[in-house]
């Protein structure tokens, strides 16, 4: 199995180093990751500037762009083979519920998925890398279990995985669950720059709003590794009929004198 490994915290992040070490036990791994922290860059591509790719002493390649840039360039210009799997992470902090919309960690895996390659995004629930080795070894174990048995012609799939910061002995089995929902983000933080100009910092993410049984929030709170299959189709399928009927009705009203 050949894995392309990326992240959004940058090529020096402990989560990437730990996951790389663990994945080497189960696959051939190439790392192509952002030069600097690109958290919350989602699937952004850099289209207004050239991108440089450098190689670090440990063999990791790093790109002056976003996580999606890394995977996009890897698949369209850097690698001379097609990876079997794109893995992203381990991220410094949770990517649960609405986080997945913003997450650069998910964005990297999503980019591979858009190219037809299965992907897995890994995050640790709490920031600070506590019990990172346990998370990396659990992640590699999951890759070994799901990464085999899916041929090149199979439909691509995408998994979002959140791992509680627990020692190996306390981590509970992977639980397949849906995404929860967060409360709205906190207020922007307004400050003055050194010249007295107001500057704004984006506020923190909201707490869990829907953390019901069956969500990623609930699974990780109980010590389970949360595994959520996600897709790129943003269509609100439940609303298709509602809008089709509504537009038809308003067209009829328009044509009535
Ligand atoms: Mn990050």
């Amino acid at each position: 199995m050949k894995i392309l490994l990326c992240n959004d915290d940058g090529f020096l992040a402990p989560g990437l180093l730990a996951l790389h070490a663990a994945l080497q036990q189960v696959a051939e791994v190439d790392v192509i990751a952002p030069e600097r922290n690109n958290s919350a860059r989602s699937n952004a591509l850099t289209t207004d500037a050239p991108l440089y790719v450098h190689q670090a002493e440990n063999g990791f390649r790093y790109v002056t762009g976003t996580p999606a840039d890394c995977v996009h360039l890897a698949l369209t210009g850097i690698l001379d083979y097609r990876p079997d799997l794109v893995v992203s992470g381990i991220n410094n902090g949770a990517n649960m519920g609405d986080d997945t919309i913003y997450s650069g960690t998910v964005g990297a895996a999503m980019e591979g998925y858009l190219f037809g390659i299965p992907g897995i995004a890994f995050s640790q629930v709490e920031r600070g890398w506590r019990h990172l080795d346990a998370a990396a070894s659990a992640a590699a174990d999951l890759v070994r279990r799901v990464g085999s048995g899916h041929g090149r012609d199979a439909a691509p799939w995408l998994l979002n995985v959140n791992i509680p910061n627990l020692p190996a002995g306390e981590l509970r089995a992977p639980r397949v669950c849906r995404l929860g929902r967060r409360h709205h983000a906190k207020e922007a933080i307004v400050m003055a720059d050194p010249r007295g100009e107001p500057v704004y910092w984006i506020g923190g993410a909201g707490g869990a709003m829907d953390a019901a049984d069956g969500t990623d929030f609930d699974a990780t709170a109980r010590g389970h590794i949360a595994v959520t299959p996600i897709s790129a189709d943003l269509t609100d399928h439940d609303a298709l009929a509602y809008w089709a009927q509504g537009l038809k009705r308003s067209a009829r009203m328009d044509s009535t004198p």
Side-chain angles (χ1 to χ4, degrees), residues 71-127:
V71 174
H72 194 103
L73 285 186
L75 300 178
T76 59
I78 301 174
L79 297 179
D80 57 4
Y81 66 92
R82 187 175 162 88
D84 302 303
L85 186 66
V86 174
V87 175
S88 180
I90 298 172
N91 187 59
N92 187 17
N95 278 309
M96 300 195 285
D98 319 27
D99 303 337
T100 49
I101 293 286
Y102 300 99
S103 166
T105 306
V106 173
M110 177 72 79
E111 192 65 12
Y113 175 76
L114 294 176
F115 276 86
I117 299 173
I120 312 182
F122 288 105
S123 305
Q124 266 195 307
V125 170
E126 289 162 29
R127 295 176 59 82

Tab-separated table of all heavy atoms in Angstrom, residues 71-127:
chain	number	residue	atom	x	y	z
A	71	VAL	N	-1.865	18.168	-1.746
A	71	VAL	CA	-2.402	16.928	-2.317
A	71	VAL	C	-2.649	17.105	-3.814
A	71	VAL	O	-2.336	16.231	-4.624
A	71	VAL	CB	-3.688	16.510	-1.571
A	71	VAL	CG1	-4.345	15.318	-2.241
A	71	VAL	CG2	-3.356	16.191	-0.113
A	72	HIS	N	-3.176	18.254	-4.173
A	72	HIS	CA	-3.444	18.543	-5.588
A	72	HIS	C	-2.147	18.461	-6.400
A	72	HIS	O	-2.082	17.789	-7.434
A	72	HIS	CB	-4.071	19.932	-5.711
A	72	HIS	CG	-4.683	20.219	-7.038
A	72	HIS	ND1	-6.030	20.196	-7.259
A	72	HIS	CD2	-4.114	20.509	-8.235
A	72	HIS	CE1	-6.284	20.462	-8.531
A	72	HIS	NE2	-5.129	20.666	-9.144
A	73	LEU	N	-1.105	19.141	-5.929
A	73	LEU	CA	0.177	19.133	-6.652
A	73	LEU	C	0.802	17.744	-6.643
A	73	LEU	O	1.388	17.314	-7.640
A	73	LEU	CB	1.160	20.122	-6.023
A	73	LEU	CG	0.930	21.593	-6.286
A	73	LEU	CD1	2.091	22.396	-5.715
A	73	LEU	CD2	0.788	21.872	-7.784
A	74	ALA	N	0.679	17.043	-5.514
A	74	ALA	CA	1.244	15.690	-5.430
A	74	ALA	C	0.661	14.815	-6.533
A	74	ALA	O	1.381	14.081	-7.210
A	74	ALA	CB	0.955	15.080	-4.061
A	75	LEU	N	-0.667	14.937	-6.722
A	75	LEU	CA	-1.368	14.053	-7.664
A	75	LEU	C	-1.245	14.525	-9.110
A	75	LEU	O	-1.442	13.746	-10.034
A	75	LEU	CB	-2.848	13.937	-7.283
A	75	LEU	CG	-3.117	13.369	-5.882
A	75	LEU	CD1	-4.616	13.344	-5.599
A	75	LEU	CD2	-2.516	11.969	-5.748
A	76	THR	N	-0.953	15.793	-9.312
A	76	THR	CA	-0.940	16.316	-10.686
A	76	THR	C	0.443	16.737	-11.169
A	76	THR	O	0.585	17.115	-12.323
A	76	THR	CB	-1.875	17.551	-10.812
A	76	THR	OG1	-1.432	18.555	-9.890
A	76	THR	CG2	-3.324	17.188	-10.512
A	77	GLY	N	1.452	16.670	-10.285
A	77	GLY	CA	2.750	17.165	-10.742
A	77	GLY	C	3.967	16.619	-10.039
A	77	GLY	O	5.069	16.693	-10.581
A	78	ILE	N	3.810	16.101	-8.823
A	78	ILE	CA	5.003	15.711	-8.065
A	78	ILE	C	5.218	14.201	-8.088
A	78	ILE	O	6.311	13.736	-8.446
A	78	ILE	CB	4.905	16.200	-6.594
A	78	ILE	CG1	4.766	17.731	-6.543
A	78	ILE	CG2	6.137	15.751	-5.815
A	78	ILE	CD1	4.524	18.288	-5.147
A	79	LEU	N	4.204	13.450	-7.712
A	79	LEU	CA	4.378	11.996	-7.595
A	79	LEU	C	4.333	11.341	-8.971
A	79	LEU	O	3.568	11.764	-9.841
A	79	LEU	CB	3.285	11.395	-6.707
A	79	LEU	CG	3.248	11.857	-5.254
A	79	LEU	CD1	2.081	11.193	-4.518
A	79	LEU	CD2	4.568	11.539	-4.551
A	80	ASP	N	5.124	10.287	-9.149
A	80	ASP	CA	5.083	9.561	-10.421
A	80	ASP	C	4.275	8.272	-10.275
A	80	ASP	O	4.395	7.350	-11.053
A	80	ASP	CB	6.504	9.268	-10.932
A	80	ASP	CG	7.311	8.487	-9.928
A	80	ASP	OD1	6.745	8.105	-8.874
A	80	ASP	OD2	8.512	8.247	-10.179
A	81	TYR	N	3.456	8.208	-9.226
A	81	TYR	CA	2.546	7.079	-9.039
A	81	TYR	C	1.256	7.613	-8.421
A	81	TYR	O	1.212	8.762	-7.964
A	81	TYR	CB	3.175	6.026	-8.125
A	81	TYR	CG	3.380	6.517	-6.703
A	81	TYR	CD1	2.406	6.312	-5.733
A	81	TYR	CD2	4.542	7.206	-6.345
A	81	TYR	CE1	2.573	6.789	-4.446
A	81	TYR	CE2	4.708	7.686	-5.060
A	81	TYR	CZ	3.736	7.476	-4.117
A	81	TYR	OH	3.890	7.970	-2.848
A	82	ARG	N	0.216	6.764	-8.423
A	82	ARG	CA	-1.059	7.160	-7.816
A	82	ARG	C	-1.170	6.481	-6.453
A	82	ARG	O	-1.168	5.251	-6.372
A	82	ARG	CB	-2.197	6.709	-8.741
A	82	ARG	CG	-3.580	7.176	-8.338
A	82	ARG	CD	-4.574	6.738	-9.422
A	82	ARG	NE	-5.948	6.752	-8.959
A	82	ARG	CZ	-6.741	7.811	-9.019
A	82	ARG	NH1	-6.296	8.938	-9.524
A	82	ARG	NH2	-7.982	7.740	-8.572
A	83	PRO	N	-1.241	7.242	-5.375
A	83	PRO	CA	-1.314	6.608	-4.054
A	83	PRO	C	-2.604	5.798	-3.895
A	83	PRO	O	-3.613	6.093	-4.541
A	83	PRO	CB	-1.306	7.779	-3.072
A	83	PRO	CG	-1.215	9.020	-3.860
A	83	PRO	CD	-1.287	8.695	-5.316
A	84	ASP	N	-2.550	4.797	-3.030
A	84	ASP	CA	-3.752	4.004	-2.735
A	84	ASP	C	-4.648	4.723	-1.747
A	84	ASP	O	-5.838	4.447	-1.655
A	84	ASP	CB	-3.343	2.651	-2.141
A	84	ASP	CG	-2.429	1.887	-3.084
A	84	ASP	OD1	-2.842	1.649	-4.233
A	84	ASP	OD2	-1.299	1.557	-2.675
A	85	LEU	N	-4.040	5.622	-0.974
A	85	LEU	CA	-4.763	6.254	0.118
A	85	LEU	C	-4.107	7.608	0.414
A	85	LEU	O	-2.877	7.718	0.382
A	85	LEU	CB	-4.659	5.340	1.349
A	85	LEU	CG	-5.427	5.679	2.607
A	85	LEU	CD1	-6.929	5.578	2.361
A	85	LEU	CD2	-5.040	4.723	3.742
A	86	VAL	N	-4.946	8.611	0.687
A	86	VAL	CA	-4.439	9.896	1.175
A	86	VAL	C	-4.803	9.984	2.653
A	86	VAL	O	-5.979	9.869	3.013
A	86	VAL	CB	-5.034	11.088	0.402
A	86	VAL	CG1	-4.605	12.411	1.039
A	86	VAL	CG2	-4.617	11.047	-1.066
A	87	VAL	N	-3.790	10.171	3.493
A	87	VAL	CA	-4.015	10.288	4.935
A	87	VAL	C	-3.616	11.694	5.359
A	87	VAL	O	-2.633	12.246	4.866
A	87	VAL	CB	-3.204	9.230	5.712
A	87	VAL	CG1	-3.347	9.439	7.214
A	87	VAL	CG2	-3.655	7.830	5.320
A	88	SER	N	-4.385	12.272	6.281
A	88	SER	CA	-4.117	13.625	6.740
A	88	SER	C	-4.121	13.669	8.266
A	88	SER	O	-4.952	13.038	8.911
A	88	SER	CB	-5.189	14.563	6.170
A	88	SER	OG	-4.949	15.887	6.589
A	89	GLY	N	-3.164	14.393	8.841
A	89	GLY	CA	-3.123	14.538	10.301
A	89	GLY	C	-1.792	14.074	10.889
A	89	GLY	O	-0.837	13.908	10.173
A	90	ILE	N	-1.756	13.803	12.158
A	90	ILE	CA	-2.870	13.942	13.086
A	90	ILE	C	-3.007	15.412	13.467
A	90	ILE	O	-2.011	16.049	13.824
A	90	ILE	CB	-2.627	13.090	14.363
A	90	ILE	CG1	-2.546	11.608	13.981
A	90	ILE	CG2	-3.744	13.333	15.376
A	90	ILE	CD1	-2.115	10.735	15.172
A	91	ASN	N	-4.223	15.939	13.407
A	91	ASN	CA	-4.413	17.350	13.704
A	91	ASN	C	-4.341	17.641	15.202
A	91	ASN	O	-4.717	16.819	16.030
A	91	ASN	CB	-5.764	17.825	13.169
A	91	ASN	CG	-5.939	19.330	13.316
A	91	ASN	OD1	-5.137	20.081	12.768
A	91	ASN	ND2	-6.940	19.761	14.060
A	92	ASN	N	-3.871	18.858	15.500
A	92	ASN	CA	-3.793	19.361	16.866
A	92	ASN	C	-5.157	19.929	17.258
A	92	ASN	O	-5.392	21.127	17.148
A	92	ASN	CB	-2.708	20.450	16.921
A	92	ASN	CG	-2.430	20.928	18.333
A	92	ASN	OD1	-2.791	20.267	19.305
A	92	ASN	ND2	-1.780	22.074	18.436
A	93	GLY	N	-6.083	19.056	17.648
A	93	GLY	CA	-7.415	19.499	18.053
A	93	GLY	C	-8.514	18.849	17.231
A	93	GLY	O	-8.286	18.360	16.125
A	94	ALA	N	-9.725	18.873	17.808
A	94	ALA	CA	-10.862	18.159	17.225
A	94	ALA	C	-11.288	18.714	15.872
A	94	ALA	O	-11.173	19.915	15.609
A	94	ALA	CB	-12.049	18.239	18.189
A	95	ASN	N	-11.769	17.844	15.021
A	95	ASN	CA	-12.485	18.239	13.808
A	95	ASN	C	-13.802	17.475	13.791
A	95	ASN	O	-13.982	16.514	13.052
A	95	ASN	CB	-11.656	17.940	12.560
A	95	ASN	CG	-10.631	19.028	12.298
A	95	ASN	OD1	-10.974	20.211	12.266
A	95	ASN	ND2	-9.384	18.643	12.137
A	96	MET	N	-14.712	17.917	14.661
A	96	MET	CA	-15.993	17.233	14.798
A	96	MET	C	-17.112	18.182	14.355
A	96	MET	O	-16.943	19.407	14.368
A	96	MET	CB	-16.200	16.802	16.244
A	96	MET	CG	-15.094	15.849	16.711
A	96	MET	SD	-15.462	14.970	18.236
A	96	MET	CE	-15.240	16.255	19.458
A	97	GLY	N	-18.250	17.613	13.993
A	97	GLY	CA	-19.388	18.438	13.614
A	97	GLY	C	-19.008	19.435	12.533
A	97	GLY	O	-18.347	19.107	11.554
A	98	ASP	N	-19.424	20.707	12.749
A	98	ASP	CA	-19.217	21.764	11.749
A	98	ASP	C	-17.737	22.023	11.453
A	98	ASP	O	-17.414	22.619	10.419
A	98	ASP	CB	-19.800	23.106	12.231
A	98	ASP	CG	-21.133	22.979	12.931
A	98	ASP	OD1	-21.406	21.913	13.517
A	98	ASP	OD2	-21.892	23.950	12.900
A	99	ASP	N	-16.830	21.606	12.338
A	99	ASP	CA	-15.396	21.821	12.103
A	99	ASP	C	-14.978	21.283	10.736
A	99	ASP	O	-14.055	21.814	10.105
A	99	ASP	CB	-14.537	21.076	13.141
A	99	ASP	CG	-14.857	21.457	14.567
A	99	ASP	OD1	-15.399	22.549	14.787
A	99	ASP	OD2	-14.547	20.649	15.469
A	100	THR	N	-15.663	20.222	10.298
A	100	THR	CA	-15.234	19.544	9.069
A	100	THR	C	-15.346	20.465	7.854
A	100	THR	O	-14.633	20.277	6.876
A	100	THR	CB	-16.093	18.290	8.829
A	100	THR	OG1	-17.468	18.643	8.951
A	100	THR	CG2	-15.764	17.208	9.841
A	101	ILE	N	-16.243	21.466	7.936
A	101	ILE	CA	-16.400	22.407	6.822
A	101	ILE	C	-15.156	23.290	6.685
A	101	ILE	O	-14.758	23.662	5.597
A	101	ILE	CB	-17.645	23.308	7.054
A	101	ILE	CG1	-18.920	22.470	6.969
A	101	ILE	CG2	-17.686	24.477	6.087
A	101	ILE	CD1	-19.314	22.060	5.573
A	102	TYR	N	-14.548	23.628	7.828
A	102	TYR	CA	-13.421	24.562	7.833
A	102	TYR	C	-12.061	23.860	7.803
A	102	TYR	O	-11.053	24.436	7.403
A	102	TYR	CB	-13.458	25.421	9.106
A	102	TYR	CG	-14.712	26.231	9.252
A	102	TYR	CD1	-15.746	25.810	10.069
A	102	TYR	CD2	-14.860	27.419	8.549
A	102	TYR	CE1	-16.907	26.553	10.199
A	102	TYR	CE2	-16.013	28.175	8.679
A	102	TYR	CZ	-17.036	27.736	9.503
A	102	TYR	OH	-18.174	28.468	9.624
A	103	SER	N	-12.039	22.627	8.224
A	103	SER	CA	-10.790	21.943	8.526
A	103	SER	C	-9.864	21.757	7.327
A	103	SER	O	-10.259	21.206	6.299
A	103	SER	CB	-11.126	20.560	9.106
A	103	SER	OG	-9.978	19.751	9.111
A	104	GLY	N	-8.623	22.201	7.473
A	104	GLY	CA	-7.612	21.912	6.453
A	104	GLY	C	-7.189	20.460	6.491
A	104	GLY	O	-6.772	19.891	5.472
A	105	THR	N	-7.287	19.841	7.658
A	105	THR	CA	-6.975	18.412	7.785
A	105	THR	C	-7.945	17.601	6.926
A	105	THR	O	-7.538	16.721	6.155
A	105	THR	CB	-7.102	17.976	9.263
A	105	THR	OG1	-6.298	18.842	10.066
A	105	THR	CG2	-6.662	16.545	9.455
A	106	VAL	N	-9.233	17.926	7.064
A	106	VAL	CA	-10.238	17.257	6.230
A	106	VAL	C	-10.039	17.659	4.762
A	106	VAL	O	-10.153	16.819	3.859
A	106	VAL	CB	-11.670	17.602	6.705
A	106	VAL	CG1	-12.718	17.057	5.745
A	106	VAL	CG2	-11.900	17.049	8.115
A	107	GLY	N	-9.693	18.932	4.529
A	107	GLY	CA	-9.500	19.418	3.157
A	107	GLY	C	-8.464	18.616	2.386
A	107	GLY	O	-8.651	18.302	1.208
A	108	ALA	N	-7.369	18.268	3.051
A	108	ALA	CA	-6.313	17.488	2.391
A	108	ALA	C	-6.837	16.123	1.966
A	108	ALA	O	-6.619	15.671	0.832
A	108	ALA	CB	-5.110	17.336	3.322
A	109	ALA	N	-7.544	15.461	2.873
A	109	ALA	CA	-8.094	14.140	2.541
A	109	ALA	C	-9.190	14.272	1.484
A	109	ALA	O	-9.308	13.442	0.579
A	109	ALA	CB	-8.635	13.469	3.805
A	110	MET	N	-9.976	15.334	1.601
A	110	MET	CA	-11.052	15.596	0.637
A	110	MET	C	-10.485	15.791	-0.771
A	110	MET	O	-11.078	15.360	-1.761
A	110	MET	CB	-11.819	16.839	1.079
A	110	MET	CG	-12.924	17.286	0.146
A	110	MET	SD	-14.365	16.205	0.166
A	110	MET	CE	-15.191	16.746	1.682
A	111	GLU	N	-9.336	16.441	-0.861
A	111	GLU	CA	-8.740	16.690	-2.172
A	111	GLU	C	-8.395	15.371	-2.865
A	111	GLU	O	-8.637	15.212	-4.056
A	111	GLU	CB	-7.497	17.582	-2.027
A	111	GLU	CG	-6.954	18.131	-3.326
A	111	GLU	CD	-7.909	19.103	-4.029
A	111	GLU	OE1	-8.896	19.543	-3.424
A	111	GLU	OE2	-7.652	19.399	-5.210
A	112	GLY	N	-7.851	14.431	-2.115
A	112	GLY	CA	-7.587	13.115	-2.691
A	112	GLY	C	-8.878	12.431	-3.122
A	112	GLY	O	-8.961	11.843	-4.207
A	113	TYR	N	-9.890	12.551	-2.268
A	113	TYR	CA	-11.210	11.961	-2.538
A	113	TYR	C	-11.795	12.526	-3.839
A	113	TYR	O	-12.369	11.793	-4.646
A	113	TYR	CB	-12.101	12.269	-1.340
A	113	TYR	CG	-13.540	11.857	-1.442
A	113	TYR	CD1	-13.928	10.526	-1.302
A	113	TYR	CD2	-14.533	12.811	-1.636
A	113	TYR	CE1	-15.265	10.157	-1.358
A	113	TYR	CE2	-15.875	12.457	-1.697
A	113	TYR	CZ	-16.228	11.127	-1.560
A	113	TYR	OH	-17.550	10.780	-1.620
A	114	LEU	N	-11.616	13.830	-4.054
A	114	LEU	CA	-12.130	14.445	-5.289
A	114	LEU	C	-11.392	13.911	-6.515
A	114	LEU	O	-11.915	13.958	-7.624
A	114	LEU	CB	-12.008	15.974	-5.219
A	114	LEU	CG	-12.887	16.655	-4.153
A	114	LEU	CD1	-12.627	18.158	-4.101
A	114	LEU	CD2	-14.366	16.390	-4.408
A	115	PHE	N	-10.186	13.420	-6.314
A	115	PHE	CA	-9.426	12.785	-7.389
A	115	PHE	C	-9.692	11.273	-7.458
A	115	PHE	O	-9.009	10.550	-8.174
A	115	PHE	CB	-7.920	13.029	-7.215
A	115	PHE	CG	-7.452	14.346	-7.764
A	115	PHE	CD1	-7.514	15.490	-6.998
A	115	PHE	CD2	-6.945	14.435	-9.058
A	115	PHE	CE1	-7.083	16.718	-7.503
A	115	PHE	CE2	-6.511	15.651	-9.569
A	115	PHE	CZ	-6.577	16.799	-8.792
A	116	GLY	N	-10.649	10.794	-6.666
A	116	GLY	CA	-11.029	9.382	-6.741
A	116	GLY	C	-10.207	8.463	-5.868
A	116	GLY	O	-10.228	7.246	-6.046
A	117	ILE	N	-9.468	9.032	-4.906
A	117	ILE	CA	-8.616	8.227	-4.026
A	117	ILE	C	-9.210	8.236	-2.620
A	117	ILE	O	-9.562	9.303	-2.099
A	117	ILE	CB	-7.180	8.800	-4.014
A	117	ILE	CG1	-6.598	8.750	-5.436
A	117	ILE	CG2	-6.287	8.042	-3.041
A	117	ILE	CD1	-5.264	9.446	-5.570
A	118	PRO	N	-9.331	7.075	-1.986
A	118	PRO	CA	-9.852	7.043	-0.612
A	118	PRO	C	-8.997	7.904	0.322
A	118	PRO	O	-7.789	8.056	0.098
A	118	PRO	CB	-9.746	5.565	-0.216
A	118	PRO	CG	-9.641	4.818	-1.491
A	118	PRO	CD	-8.984	5.734	-2.476
A	119	GLY	N	-9.617	8.438	1.343
A	119	GLY	CA	-8.890	9.319	2.248
A	119	GLY	C	-9.340	9.159	3.690
A	119	GLY	O	-10.483	8.774	3.964
A	120	ILE	N	-8.425	9.449	4.613
A	120	ILE	CA	-8.762	9.455	6.037
A	120	ILE	C	-8.129	10.688	6.675
A	120	ILE	O	-6.932	10.936	6.496
A	120	ILE	CB	-8.234	8.205	6.776
A	120	ILE	CG1	-8.563	6.918	6.026
A	120	ILE	CG2	-8.806	8.161	8.188
A	120	ILE	CD1	-8.089	5.668	6.746
A	121	ALA	N	-8.942	11.450	7.401
A	121	ALA	CA	-8.450	12.606	8.156
A	121	ALA	C	-8.458	12.248	9.641
A	121	ALA	O	-9.483	11.818	10.167
A	121	ALA	CB	-9.340	13.818	7.902
A	122	PHE	N	-7.307	12.416	10.301
A	122	PHE	CA	-7.177	12.092	11.721
A	122	PHE	C	-6.980	13.360	12.548
A	122	PHE	O	-6.180	14.227	12.188
A	122	PHE	CB	-5.964	11.185	11.966
A	122	PHE	CG	-6.141	9.772	11.478
A	122	PHE	CD1	-5.505	9.336	10.322
A	122	PHE	CD2	-6.943	8.875	12.181
A	122	PHE	CE1	-5.659	8.024	9.867
A	122	PHE	CE2	-7.098	7.563	11.736
A	122	PHE	CZ	-6.450	7.141	10.578
A	123	SER	N	-7.682	13.441	13.674
A	123	SER	CA	-7.501	14.550	14.605
A	123	SER	C	-7.509	14.016	16.026
A	123	SER	O	-8.238	13.067	16.331
A	123	SER	CB	-8.641	15.567	14.461
A	123	SER	OG	-8.758	16.005	13.125
A	124	GLN	N	-6.732	14.671	16.890
A	124	GLN	CA	-6.850	14.401	18.322
A	124	GLN	C	-7.859	15.386	18.898
A	124	GLN	O	-7.883	16.556	18.518
A	124	GLN	CB	-5.495	14.590	19.020
A	124	GLN	CG	-4.690	13.303	19.148
A	124	GLN	CD	-3.556	13.438	20.145
A	124	GLN	OE1	-2.757	14.352	20.051
A	124	GLN	NE2	-3.474	12.522	21.093
A	125	VAL	N	-8.700	14.933	19.810
A	125	VAL	CA	-9.820	15.746	20.269
A	125	VAL	C	-9.343	17.019	20.983
A	125	VAL	O	-9.877	18.103	20.769
A	125	VAL	CB	-10.743	14.917	21.184
A	125	VAL	CG1	-11.781	15.808	21.861
A	125	VAL	CG2	-11.439	13.830	20.368
A	126	GLU	N	-8.322	16.879	21.853
A	126	GLU	CA	-7.823	18.055	22.578
A	126	GLU	C	-6.512	18.516	21.975
A	126	GLU	O	-5.732	17.710	21.474
A	126	GLU	CB	-7.571	17.712	24.054
A	126	GLU	CG	-8.827	17.494	24.849
A	126	GLU	CD	-8.535	16.742	26.150
A	126	GLU	OE1	-7.417	16.869	26.679
A	126	GLU	OE2	-9.429	16.005	26.606
A	127	ARG	N	-6.271	19.816	22.046
A	127	ARG	CA	-5.000	20.352	21.577
A	127	ARG	C	-3.894	20.009	22.571
A	127	ARG	O	-4.159	19.728	23.728
A	127	ARG	CB	-5.103	21.869	21.435
A	127	ARG	CG	-6.089	22.304	20.350
A	127	ARG	CD	-6.226	23.819	20.317
A	127	ARG	NE	-4.936	24.450	20.060
A	127	ARG	CZ	-4.392	24.592	18.850
A	127	ARG	NH1	-5.050	24.184	17.789
A	127	ARG	NH2	-3.216	25.160	18.700
